[in-house]
């Protein structure tokens, strides 16, 4: 069962910008990270997923239907980037308005407001709210009616670390119930463990697509091992001269080793009784930079 | 509740909250009462004069006021939501663009209806209470007058919506709306009059009367003067060249309401958000 499917989708604005030949598939419970610089086509892709734009070529389906059909829309929750609401309405009035538009009972709307931690501010006008509260209201309206596809554009902007963790925990609960999530984000650190798949866009084109481990294999970036408090640093340097090696502090070393040799090297290093060892697999950020550089789309 | 009604009722509640509705109702009531009670002051009498004269003076004021109120209500209906950032969110909901635009229009149309009906009803009752005019005559005349004013308001709402879907900034929409109002209530008649005077009425004498139908406020004035019997003055004297068919005038006003609304709907469907 496919929740979201884009097959060879192309869309061009009048000024030539747009997206070209995008293909994506998302199954129940899966979370896709849509990454890319400003103007890479992330928002255009989202608008195509929502049926707000009609592709000039290719097809978009949500649960097998056109994305702009009422059936699809009832099953989609969408949080726009920099979401904003009617300043003269209170939180409760806002969420109830959107609930009525989606055919969700008002009582359920008020509960949704509680679950995002806005119960205390429900009767205050949105005008007086902070950016983080607005963002949580945006999330609440996206969660209305238990959507089967959640599309979140920069959901963590304005959220503090605790609220961010809450958000991902809530997303995990939803995914356990089969909701698929598309996450657009600039903030890369910390999100890779939540993503099943990553799609990197640049200039409207798909640079690379796959799970994080797949991207690691494809990029073949070295794993970084950092050891500290070595009694005989020269001996270690001699032994591992094949690896790229850097000196850190007085008794520390940093080694770039091939993914396949990671465990061998670690075992051998431990024989030298270091005080501490840190292992860094290439992060999502490293992968992103690598593929963007390869694509020639990253500014120096 | 269907999405159409959800959206319409939000517009109603918004204007209850920002007191637009109460202010508009008071304006119409005050205006209608003042004209009804003191409309004869210019001719030297204070108090009730007669029904046709009252309606004629009332119409000369509503001709300016109703288009202005309607255009100011409508000009930011779509572009305002776009600029505010709520349009993108609304369009991702299970409602199509036609529903959104018609829902907002319905809300605004009802607002005008409530404010005008209440205002003119008070004036009609005052007239009935203070004079010995026949009740059914007064009610019929005021009913027709209210309906015509309302239709003019709805026409201008539709024009406001057309502006609102075409421009991309709220401030532009406001400027264009004011321009449209200025043309409708002043410039159009001025140009017609200038042509008439300059040519001493010899050029296009068959066509010029029909040009009145190109301006909804002129149609409205012709319509509301039907009850005043005769006395078409100024540029409206051209109206004598038209068949004095109320049906033609009502029909023209309806077309003026439907056409911009249809154009607005068509344009909105292809507007990028």
């Amino acid at each position: 069962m496919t929740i979201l499917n884009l097959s060879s989708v192309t869309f061009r604005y009048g000024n030539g910008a747009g997206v070209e030949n995008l293909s994506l598939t998302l199954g129940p419970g899966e979370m896709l990270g849509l990454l890319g610089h400003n103007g890479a086509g992330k928002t255009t892709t989202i608008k195509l997923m929502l049926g707000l734009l009609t592709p000039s070529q290719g097809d978009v389906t949500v649960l097998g239907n056109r994305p702009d059909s009422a059936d699809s829309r009832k099953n989609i929750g969408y949080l726009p980037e920099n979401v904003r609401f009617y300043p003269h309405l209170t939180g409760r009035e806002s969420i109830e308005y959107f609930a009525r538009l989606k055919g969700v009972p008002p009582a359920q709307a008020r509960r949704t407001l509680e679950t995002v931690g806005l119960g205390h501010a429900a009767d205050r006008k949105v005008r007086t709210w902070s950016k983080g509260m607005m963002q949580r209201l945006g999330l609440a309206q996206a969660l209305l009616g238990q959507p089967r596809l959640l599309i979140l554009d920069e959901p963590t902007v304005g959220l503090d670390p605790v609220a961010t963790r809450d958000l991902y925990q809530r997303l995990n609960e939803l995914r356990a119930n089969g909701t698929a999530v598309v996450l657009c984000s600039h903030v890369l650190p910390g999100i890779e463990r939540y993503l099943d798949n990553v799609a990197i866009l640049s200039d409207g084109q798909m640079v690379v697509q796959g799970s994080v481990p797949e991207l690691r294999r494809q990029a073949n970036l070295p794993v970084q091992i950092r050891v500290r408090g070595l009694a005989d640093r020269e001996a270690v340097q001699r032994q591992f001269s094949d690896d790229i090696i850097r000196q850190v502090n007085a008794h520390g070393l940093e080694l770039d080793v091939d993914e396949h040799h990671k465990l061998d090297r670690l075992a051998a290093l431990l024989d030298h009784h270091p005080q501490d060892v840190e292992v860094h697999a290439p992060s999502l950020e490293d992968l992103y930079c690598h593929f963007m550089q390869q694509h020639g789309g990253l500014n120096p | 509740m269907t999405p159409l009604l959800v959206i319409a009722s939000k517009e109603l509640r918004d204007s209850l909250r920002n007191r637009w509705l109460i202010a508009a109702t008071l304006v119409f009531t005050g205006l209608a009462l003042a004209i009804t009670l003191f409309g004869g002051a210019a001719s030297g009498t204070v108090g009730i004069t007669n029904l046709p004269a009252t309606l004629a003076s009332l119409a000369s004021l509503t001709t300016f006021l109703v288009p202005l109120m309607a255009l100011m209500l409508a000009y930011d209906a779509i572009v305002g939501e776009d600029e505010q950032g709520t349009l993108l969110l609304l369009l991702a909901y299970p409602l199509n663009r036609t529903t959104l635009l018609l829902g907002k229009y319905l809300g605004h149309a009802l607002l005008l209806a409530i404010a005008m009906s209440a205002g003119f009803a008070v004036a009609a009752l005052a007239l009935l209470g203070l004079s010995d005019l026949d009740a059914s005559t007064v009610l019929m005349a005021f009913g027709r007058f209210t309906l015509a004013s309302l239709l003019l308001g709805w026409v201008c709402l539709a024009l406001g919506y057309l502006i609102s879907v075409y421009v991309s900034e709220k401030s532009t929409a406001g400027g264009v709306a004011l321009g449209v109002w200025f043309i409708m209530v002043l410039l159009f008649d001025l140009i017609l009059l200038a042509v008439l005077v300059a040519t001493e009425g010899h050029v296009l004498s068959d066509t010029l009367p029909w040009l009145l139908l190109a301006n909804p406020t002129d149609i409205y004035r012709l319509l509301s003067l039907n009850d005043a019997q005769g006395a078409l003055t100024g540029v409206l004297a051209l109206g004598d060249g038209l068949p004095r068919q109320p049906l033609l005038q009502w029909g023209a006003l309806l077309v003026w309401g439907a056409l911009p609304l249809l154009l607005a709907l068509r344009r909105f469907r292809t507007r990028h958000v």
Side-chain angles (χ1 to χ4, degrees), chain A residues 231-243:
Chain A
D232 188 355
R233 187 159 73 178
E234 266 91 76
V236 181
Q237 269 177 295
R238 275 195 304 279
Q239 187 183 341
F240 296 96
S241 57
D242 286 346
D243 300 311

Side-chain angles (χ1 to χ4, degrees), chain B residues 19 22 47-48 50-51 143 151 238 247 259 272:
Chain B
R19 301 194 175 76
I22 186 87
I48 313 293
N50 59 46
L51 185 59
L151 209 50
L238 279 173
L247 222 52
L259 206 62
H272 284 313

Side-chain angles (χ1 to χ4, degrees), chain B:
Chain B
M1 235 190 330
T2 66
L4 186 84
L5 295 179
V6 173
I7 292 164
S9 69
K10 173 171 180 296
E11 292 300 329
L12 283 176
R13 267 194 290 172
D14 281 356
S15 62
L16 273 178
R17 178 168 314 210
N18 66 20
R19 301 194 175 76
W20 186 94
L21 184 59
I22 186 87
T25 308
L26 284 178
V27 165
F28 281 119
T29 312
L31 191 75
L33 271 180
I35 298 261
T36 309
L37 300 179
F38 309 117
S43 53
T45 52
V46 171
I48 313 293
T49 48
N50 59 46
L51 185 59
T54 302
L55 285 178
S57 348
L58 201 50
S60 64
L61 273 174
T62 45
T63 305
F64 288 91
L65 188 65
V66 169
L68 188 65
M69 279 183 127
L71 282 165
M72 289 303 106
L73 198 57
Y75 81 93
D76 70 340
I78 300 298
V79 74
E81 295 251 8
D82 197 354
E83 210 165 285
Q84 192 177 33
T86 42
L87 185 63
L88 180 62
L89 193 55
L90 279 178
L91 290 180
Y93 271 73
L95 54 107
N96 59 40
R97 295 184 183 206
T98 307
T99 309
L100 176 59
L101 195 145
L102 287 182
K104 289 182 80 86
Y105 184 88
L106 181 65
H108 284 153
L110 283 173
L111 279 174
L112 283 181
I114 295 168
M116 282 191 212
S117 315
F120 297 150
V122 170
L125 292 177
L127 192 63
L128 275 179
L130 296 171
S131 71
D132 46 8
L133 288 167
D134 177 43
S136 64
T137 318
V138 169
L139 290 182
M140 280 297 283
F142 260 91
R144 265 199 301 277
F145 174 75
T146 307
L147 200 60
S149 306
L150 205 47
L151 209 50
L152 177 67
W154 290 346
V155 165
C156 295
L157 273 186
L159 289 171
Y161 273 73
L162 189 59
I163 296 166
S164 201
V165 293
Y166 262 97
V167 303
S168 51
E169 271 172 57
K170 195 168 143 177
S171 50
T172 319
V176 175
L178 270 181
V180 166
W181 176 76
F182 189 67
I183 292 170
M184 278 171 67
V185 303
L186 203 68
L187 207 58
F188 186 88
D189 286 5
L190 217 55
I191 292 171
L192 265 193
L193 210 56
V195 172
L196 265 181
V197 171
T199 64
E200 295 180 340
H202 295 311
V203 177
L204 298 174
S205 58
D206 291 339
T207 329
L208 276 181
W210 291 95
L211 282 180
L212 284 183
L213 297 183
N215 183 357
T217 50
D218 283 339
I219 306 174
Y220 166 73
R221 281 194 283 188
L222 285 176
L223 200 54
S224 53
L225 289 178
N226 282 343
D227 276 324
Q229 286 136 24
L232 291 179
T233 56
V235 75
L236 286 182
L238 279 173
D240 282 333
L242 283 177
R244 259 193 135 165
Q245 285 279 3
L247 222 52
L248 172 74
Q249 296 156 355
W250 287 109
L253 216 45
L254 277 176
V255 170
W256 262 109
L259 206 62
L261 196 58
L262 288 175
L263 286 175
L265 283 172
R266 210 180 74 160
R267 169 67 187 159
F268 188 37
R269 249 174 253 147
T270 54
R271 184 186 166 111
H272 284 313
V273 285

Side-chain angles (χ1 to χ4, degrees), chain A residues 156-177:
Chain A
T156 57
V157 171
L159 293 188
D160 60 58
V162 177
T164 304
R165 179 174 296 183
D166 280 354
L167 167 68
Y168 283 113
Q169 265 164 12
R170 181 149 312 114
L171 290 183
N172 274 342
E173 286 162 24
L174 287 164
R175 291 165 66 197
N177 289 321

Side-chain angles (χ1 to χ4, degrees), chain A residues 57 182 282 289:
Chain A
Q57 277 165 45
V182 176
C289 292

Side-chain angles (χ1 to χ4, degrees), chain A residues 222-225 227 239-240 243 255-272 277-281:
Chain A
V223 176
Q224 221 173 59
I225 300 176
V227 282
Q239 187 183 341
F240 296 96
D243 300 311
L255 289 82
D256 288 343
V257 304
D258 199 276
E259 167 79 30
H260 308 294
H261 302 141
K262 180 175 67 181
L263 291 177
D264 303 345
R265 294 292 192 278
L266 261 180
L269 274 170
L270 288 178
D271 288 341
H272 293 272
V277 179
E278 285 171 43
V279 180
H280 294 282

